[in-house]
């Protein structure tokens, strides 16, 4: 008798979009707060953003249970790092750790699409973008999640990043001022909410700069 | 020499024979649980039905149970898995009490524990086939959360499982507000349960409503909702189209 197939899937897509933009001395990380399953909205007030270290924040969309587990794992590893090195992890260090953590589950992946944002050791903004199995890249801006196909081309148009193939490597960080970058991010989510059914309700924006971390909210379409 | 060994295909990712023990589908199931926050705490409602496929087999299943001093757990899905979860929680609460340190697990902690249990079982491809609702009050803080069988969890002012998500949540989104009185909360829950009774075929007209406040848990005696079937459209449905139904 052939083996019975499972009629349940260990994965689900809880939707949502994430964006991060790096500036000369700041970094903006944003995500919507809608959590869905199929055509239903589960809740309108769920944060996809997690502070991993003092100057390092991650936004993740995808399968919420995997995202939660990933955040917990990284927070635990950061605590151990602090005990062993008596300092906070830098953003590039956390970026490598996230990549390794994701690849560790290469054959039963975390269904989590991440952007990591923060300040590097010199105080310059940095953004790292990932796929579900850990391949990553340092970029000037990125978006992930259900609205990324709508958001990314718009960001490409507005932020015109230099080609990563150029030599010598050119800085991808945007020359925009902090307030302009925040405005751009708000525009981009209003854009995504129009056409992506999984993006909407509320936008959560986290800004990291030399003064620390602050949080802002903006209402989005609820339909 | 094992003459009776059963054959697995060569390219199978299966482990040893014990994989026949993994959950494939649920057998005896409970339907929706609906819960909301109100002024003094949490109100939760669930009917007492245990379906065996399409048969409404058991009609006195208690699908809501108090957990420790501060929490109330409601479950839909496989009833035997719910009973196993109660045994896990029993042990958890017991060890918590045995510390005898004046501290006790609150609803947030119990919800977190349940989330970890459900997620870990999903990771092993042997899920507990339940959707759980965990509500409670501790030190004046109200808490209401939910976990699904694959570990998806969140908290909100009102939650529901299964069909409740489709039929009850929209009503709650429209009519829920902060500081509902007990009577208003019960009326709102009964409105949701009535809609579920009319439209969910696995619902039975015998339900309990549970309340949890800072003072403790009260689960009502089972009772049934008044229903109305005399709508004229149901009286003679084929009136405008003879031969249809």
């Amino acid at each position: 008798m052939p083996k019975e197939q499972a009629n349940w899937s260990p994965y689900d897509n809880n939707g949502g979009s994430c964006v991060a933009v790096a500036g000369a001395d700041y970094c903006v990380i944003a995500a919507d707060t809608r959590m869905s399953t199929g055509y239903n909205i589960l809740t309108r007030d769920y944060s996809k953003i997690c502070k991993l270290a003092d100057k390092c924040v991650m936004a993740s969309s995808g399968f919420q249970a995997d995202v939660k587990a990933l955040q917990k794992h990284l927070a635990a590893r950061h605590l151990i790092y602090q005990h062993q090195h008596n300092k906070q992890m830098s953003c590039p260090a956390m970026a490598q750790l996230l990549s390794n953590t994701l690849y560790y589950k290469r054959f039963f992946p975390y269904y989590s699409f991440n952007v990591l944002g923060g300040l590097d050791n010199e105080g310059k903004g940095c953004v790292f973008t990932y796929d579900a199995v850990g391949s990553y890249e340092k970029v000037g801006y990125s978006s992930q999640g259900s609205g990324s196909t709508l958001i990314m081309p718009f960001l490409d148009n507005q932020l015109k990043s230099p080609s990563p193939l150029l030599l010598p490597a050119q800085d991808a960080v945007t020359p925009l001022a902090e307030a302009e970058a925040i405005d751009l991010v708000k525009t981009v989510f209003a854009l995504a909410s129009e056409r992506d059914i999984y993006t909407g309700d509320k936008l959560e924006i986290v800004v990291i700069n030399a003064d620390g971390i602050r949080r802002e909210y903006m209402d989005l379409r609820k339909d | 020499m094992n003459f009776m060994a059963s054959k697995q295909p060569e390219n199978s990712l299966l482990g040893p024979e014990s994989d026949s023990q993994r959950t494939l589908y649920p057998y005896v199931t409970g339907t929706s649980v609906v819960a909301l926050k109100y002024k003094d705490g949490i109100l939760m409602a669930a009917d007492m039905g245990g379906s065996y496929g399409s048969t409404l087999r058991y009609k006195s299943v208690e699908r809501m149970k108090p957990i420790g001093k501060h929490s109330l757990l409601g479950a839909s899905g496989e009833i035997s898995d719910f009973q196993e979860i109660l045994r896990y929680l029993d042990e958890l609460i017991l060890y918590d009490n045995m510390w005898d340190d004046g501290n006790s697990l609150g609803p947030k902690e119990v919800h977190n524990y349940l989330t970890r249990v459900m997620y870990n079982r999903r990771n092993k491809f042997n899920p507990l086939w339940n959707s759980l609702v965990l509500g409670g009050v501790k030190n004046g803080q109200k808490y209401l959360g939910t976990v699904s069988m694959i570990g998806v969890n969140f908290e909100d002012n009102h939650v529901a499982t299964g069909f409740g998500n489709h039929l009850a949540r929209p009503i709650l989104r429209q009519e829920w507000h902060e500081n509902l009185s007990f009577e208003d909360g019960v009326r709102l829950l009964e409105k949701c349960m009535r809609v579920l009774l009319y439209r969910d075929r696995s619902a039975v007209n015998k339900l309990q409503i549970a309340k949890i406040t800072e003072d403790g848990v009260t689960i009502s005696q089972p009772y049934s909702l008044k229903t109305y079937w005399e709508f004229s459209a149901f009286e003679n449905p084929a009136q405008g189209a003879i031969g249809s139904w």
Side-chain angles (χ1 to χ4, degrees):
Chain A
M1 192 167 98
K3 177 168 77 92
E4 272 206 66
Q5 291 288 355
N7 54 2
W8 66 282
S9 167
Y11 290 114
D12 189 14
N13 189 354
N14 301 119
S17 314
C18 315
V19 164
V21 176
D25 60 351
Y26 67 88
C27 188
V28 179
I29 302 99
D32 68 326
T33 63
R34 172 177 288 178
M35 190 167 128
S36 346
T37 176
Y39 284 117
N40 292 334
I41 296 177
L42 289 173
T43 184
R44 298 187 190 275
D45 200 9
Y46 188 82
S47 174
K48 296 185 187 57
I49 301 183
C50 176
K51 179 178 147 185
L52 295 175
D54 249 4
K55 304 276 178 179
C56 185
V57 163
M58 175 173 80
S60 322
S61 86
F63 174 44
Q64 185 266 347
D66 273 349
V67 166
K68 233 345 177 352
L70 183 63
Q71 288 171 349
K72 258 184 186 248
H73 185 116
L74 293 170
R77 288 297 298 269
H78 184 234
L79 193 57
I80 295 171
Y81 182 97
Q82 286 179 280
H83 287 150
Q84 291 175 341
H85 300 271
N86 195 22
K87 65 172 184 175
Q88 294 275 326
M89 265 177 101
S90 68
C91 199
M94 185 58 85
Q96 184 68 53
L97 177 63
L98 173 54
S99 170
N100 292 153
T101 307
L102 289 169
Y103 196 79
Y104 203 79
K105 285 201 6 118
R106 169 66 176 80
F107 300 109
F108 184 16
Y110 288 112
Y111 192 80
S112 166
F113 298 96
N114 313 293
V115 284
L116 195 72
L119 303 179
D120 63 19
N121 285 320
E122 288 134 33
K124 216 161 63 156
C126 59
V127 169
F128 298 89
T129 187
Y130 295 79
D131 72 357
V133 286
S135 103
Y136 80 114
E137 191 189 357
K138 180 170 186 296
V139 289
Y141 60 89
S142 180
S143 75
Q144 291 284 349
S146 58
S148 68
T149 46
L150 299 165
I151 296 173
M152 203 57 180
F154 185 77
L155 289 176
D156 286 335
N157 177 268
Q158 295 295 306
L159 297 174
K160 248 195 281 252
S161 188
S163 167
L165 302 169
L166 284 172
L167 282 173
Q170 270 187 42
D171 215 346
V173 141
T174 179
L176 283 180
E178 188 183 297
E180 291 174 315
I182 294 174
D183 215 48
L184 177 65
V185 162
K186 288 181 178 175
T187 306
V188 134
F189 270 89
L191 182 158
S193 306
E194 292 290 311
R195 293 290 182 175
D196 177 22
I197 60 174
Y198 297 110
T199 301
D201 290 331
K202 210 164 67 181
L203 171 62
E204 184 184 5
I205 307 176
V206 170
V207 184
I208 309 183
N209 53 26
D211 303 328
I213 302 191
R214 76 167 199 284
R215 200 170 293 242
E216 251 183 74
Y217 292 95
M218 184 185 91
D219 269 352
L220 296 171
R221 288 184 71 129
K222 296 187 180 341
D223 64 356
Chain B
M1 182 77 146
N2 193 353
F3 295 99
M4 299 298 280
S6 71
K7 250 185 68 125
Q8 286 178 6
E10 269 175 45
N11 55 350
S12 162
L13 288 169
L14 272 182
E17 247 62 1
S18 56
D19 286 340
S20 64
Q21 300 284 340
R22 284 184 181 160
T23 300
L24 289 172
Y25 29 72
Y27 285 86
V28 179
T29 55
T31 183
S32 325
V33 178
V34 190
L36 48 79
K37 282 188 192 167
Y38 80 108
K39 187 160 56 84
D40 305 323
I42 311 290
L43 280 168
M44 194 184 297
D47 69 21
M48 301 192 76
S51 305
Y52 185 61
S54 53
T55 314
L56 299 176
R57 174 70 182 83
Y58 301 103
K59 297 191 183 176
S60 297
V61 180
E62 287 200 29
R63 297 196 289 115
M64 297 183 295
K65 293 284 185 187
I67 309 293
K69 283 202 286 273
H70 305 283
S71 314
L72 177 63
L73 175 66
S76 68
E78 172 63 58
I79 300 297
S80 62
D81 282 348
F82 175 49
Q83 290 168 345
E84 176 141 340
I85 289 169
L86 290 175
R87 290 206 354 263
Y88 283 147
L89 288 173
D90 228 7
E91 190 179 349
L92 182 76
I93 299 295
L94 179 71
Y95 276 91
D96 187 42
N97 288 341
M98 288 302 104
W99 284 107
D100 198 21
D101 57 0
N103 198 7
S104 51
L105 289 170
K108 243 197 209 328
E109 290 86 66
V110 177
H111 186 221
N112 189 58
Y113 174 80
L114 288 171
T115 304
R116 291 294 110 221
V117 167
M118 301 303 271
Y119 184 68
N120 271 281
R121 289 290 295 257
R122 164 260 185 201
N123 282 347
K124 295 192 279 197
F125 277 88
N126 187 19
L128 290 160
W129 206 289
N130 295 106
S131 289
L132 305 171
V133 172
L134 199 293
V137 194
K138 189 175 173 202
N139 298 334
Q141 294 274 58
K142 300 187 281 252
Y143 185 89
L144 180 59
T146 180
V147 199
S148 79
M149 72 183 244
I150 48 174
V152 173
N153 71 298
F154 61 93
E155 44 165 321
D156 209 339
N157 294 320
H158 46 78
V159 297
T161 67
F163 263 97
N165 268 314
H166 294 96
L167 299 171
R169 280 316 274 295
I171 300 175
L172 292 165
R173 285 205 179 102
Q174 190 81 313
E175 301 192 18
W176 184 90
H177 57 85
E178 292 271 8
N179 293 321
L180 279 165
S181 70
F182 175 73
E183 291 76 23
D184 281 343
V186 171
R187 201 172 304 129
L188 188 48
L189 271 184
E190 283 188 347
K191 186 172 183 178
C192 295
M193 295 306 282
R194 186 170 290 109
V195 171
L196 286 165
L197 179 60
Y198 282 130
R199 292 295 179 176
D200 177 7
R201 74 152 189 201
S202 29
V204 297
N205 197 3
K206 184 174 168 195
L207 70 145
Q208 293 175 301
I209 294 201
K211 157 179 92 130
I212 180 165
T213 64
E214 194 75 56
D215 304 324
V217 174
T218 321
I219 304 184
S220 75
Q221 285 292 84
Y223 70 103
S224 50
L225 294 168
K226 283 198 183 41
T227 55
Y228 182 72
W229 300 97
E230 288 358 281
F231 288 109
S232 57
F234 296 148
E235 293 273 276
N236 188 6
Q239 191 164 5
I242 313 291
S244 73
W245 63 94

